[in-house]
């Protein structure tokens, strides 16, 4: 029997705006309400960025704390924080979510292992910065989700492992379809999978119109998938999703049609080796 599929909902992001979609959650209460609906729809984990009251991207620890507390009041979904933040943020700003402890500590954190063109901008991740964030994640006892926009980033994870900064096998997230990076094609996904360290798990996040089709690709390959308004705002061509939960519900439908059961948060914790 195949392993249950872990669905992650990327709720907010740093690029999507209210001008693009009125359904983007911004406040802690809005994020928590959408997270609870995503859990009901089949998500085991939510990936969160945070925003100021005006909707500006932020990595402020207190905004993360408010969002995490609000989520955990409503649901048992796992909470993963971004350390990518927004283009142009410095390393201390990006790591605001890693300063939370005790009941406010996240379940997981992302770690992008290389620099890429990101649309018309550059997502800047030189090796010293990547090592710094990896050390911070490891020092607080979290496991990273290794975000890879290109195959070389998988190899870079191996270097981090040799330096004792990442434990292998690890969990990887293939982000495919950002302009300037690897595009979302089935043969690209197969190449990424073939490059993984033995025993590692993976999720794929298709960007834009490739988001939901790549749930299908992940399902039939035994992997996991990420959906949500961070990467795609449409449920179908020209039809805005009325919240992240609608994208999760469609992903869940596709996963089940492919014969995959959906992981609970506790199952996801085991599958992703979160302890």
């Amino acid at each position: 029997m195949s392993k249950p599929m872990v669905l992650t909902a990327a709720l907010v992001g740093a690029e999507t705006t209210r001008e693009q979609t009125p359904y983007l959650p911004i406040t802690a209460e809005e994020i928590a309400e959408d997270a609870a609906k995503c859990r009901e729809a089949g998500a085991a984990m939510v990936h969160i960025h945070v925003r100021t009251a005006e909707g500006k991207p932020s990595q402020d620890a207190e905004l993360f704390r408010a969002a995490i507390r609000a989520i955990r009041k409503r649901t048992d979904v796992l909470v993963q924080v971004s350390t990518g933040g927004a283009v142009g943020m410095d390393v201390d700003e990006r790591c605001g979510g890693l300063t939370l402890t005790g009941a406010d500590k996240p379940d997981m954190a992302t770690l992008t292992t290389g620099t890429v063109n990101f649309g018309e901008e550059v997502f800047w991740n030189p090796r010293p910065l990547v090592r710094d964030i990896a050390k911070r994640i490891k020092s607080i006892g979290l496991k990273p989700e290794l975000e890879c926009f290109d195959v070389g980033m998988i190899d870079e994870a191996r270097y981090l492992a040799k330096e004792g900064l990442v434990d292998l096998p690890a969990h990887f997230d293939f982000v495919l379809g950002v302009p300037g990076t690897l595009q979302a094609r089935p043969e690209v996904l197969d190449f990424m999978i073939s490059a993984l360290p033995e025993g590692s798990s993976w999720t794929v996040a298709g960007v834009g119109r490739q988001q939901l089709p790549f749930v299908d690709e992940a399902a039939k390959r035994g992997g996991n998938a990420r959906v949500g308004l961070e990467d795609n705002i449409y449920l179908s061509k020209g039809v805005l999703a009325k919240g992240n939960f609608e994208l999760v519900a469609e992903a869940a439908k596709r996963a089940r049609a492919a014969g995959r059961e959906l992981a609970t948060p506790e199952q996801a914790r085991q599958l992703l080796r979160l302890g």
Side-chain angles (χ1 to χ4, degrees):
M1 295 180 65
S2 61
K3 293 179 180 178
M5 188 179 196
V6 179
L7 287 182
T8 298
L11 302 181
V12 186
E15 305 288 331
T16 308
T17 67
R18 277 276 175 85
E19 287 69 35
Q20 293 170 320
T21 174
Y23 304 109
L24 180 73
I26 288 178
T27 69
E29 291 302 314
E30 289 168 348
I31 291 170
E33 182 179 358
D34 206 345
K37 291 179 179 178
C38 287
R39 171 72 179 95
E40 291 176 9
M45 182 159 64
V46 292
H47 166 78
I48 61 170
H49 292 242
V50 287
R51 305 288 183 100
T52 66
E54 298 73 34
K56 181 181 177 181
S58 175
Q59 292 285 105
D60 181 76
E62 293 310 310
L63 291 175
F64 271 119
R65 188 191 311 279
I68 291 172
R69 286 184 176 181
I71 290 169
R72 288 179 173 159
K73 282 182 180 178
R74 288 168 171 77
T75 180
D76 63 348
V77 74
L78 300 178
V79 179
Q80 180 194 85
V81 296
S82 169
T83 65
V87 171
M89 290 181 176
D90 65 31
V91 66
D92 287 332
E93 189 175 5
R94 286 169 60 169
C95 292
L98 301 183
T99 65
L100 302 179
T101 58
D104 300 325
K105 183 178 173 181
D107 297 290
M108 200 176 196
T110 59
L111 174 64
T112 303
T113 56
T115 297
V116 291
N117 288 327
F118 198 93
E120 302 304 308
E121 300 177 299
V122 176
F123 185 20
W124 185 243
N125 293 290
R127 279 181 140 187
L129 183 148
V130 174
R131 289 190 186 99
D132 186 350
I133 297 177
K135 288 176 183 176
R136 297 186 196 208
I137 293 173
K138 194 174 184 68
S139 72
I140 62 172
L142 290 185
K143 294 292 180 66
E145 178 177 82
L146 299 163
E147 280 196 337
C148 298
F149 295 76
D150 211 334
V151 179
M153 294 186 185
I154 298 175
D155 292 324
E156 191 62 15
R158 295 178 188 272
Y159 283 111
L160 292 171
K162 288 180 181 179
E163 295 179 351
L165 300 177
V166 168
D167 297 324
L168 295 180
H171 180 65
F172 291 77
D173 179 29
F174 309 140
V175 185
L176 303 179
V178 175
T181 71
L182 273 177
Q183 294 304 289
R185 299 189 300 273
E187 64 270 24
V188 168
L189 178 57
D190 289 332
F191 185 37
M192 299 283 274
I193 296 168
S194 73
L196 285 175
E198 185 176 358
S200 293
S201 53
W202 60 272
T203 289
V204 64
V207 173
R209 64 185 179 85
Q210 295 297 344
Q211 183 173 93
L212 292 171
F214 266 71
V215 175
D216 300 332
E217 300 296 338
K220 66 188 181 184
R221 288 168 173 78
N224 309 292
R226 179 175 111 172
V227 298
L229 297 176
E230 173 170 347
D231 303 320
N232 163 53
I233 62 175
Y234 294 104
L235 187 62
S236 58
K237 187 174 181 179
V239 179
L240 290 174
K242 294 182 175 63
N244 288 282
F245 64 93
E246 285 201 341
L247 294 166
V248 172
E250 177 61 23
K253 177 181 175 182
R254 289 169 178 249
R256 292 188 177 110
R260 298 287 301 279
E261 293 299 319
L262 300 178
T264 65
E266 188 53 41
Q267 287 174 318
R269 186 178 295 279
Q270 298 302 316
L271 290 166
L272 306 183
R273 296 171 296 277
L274 302 185

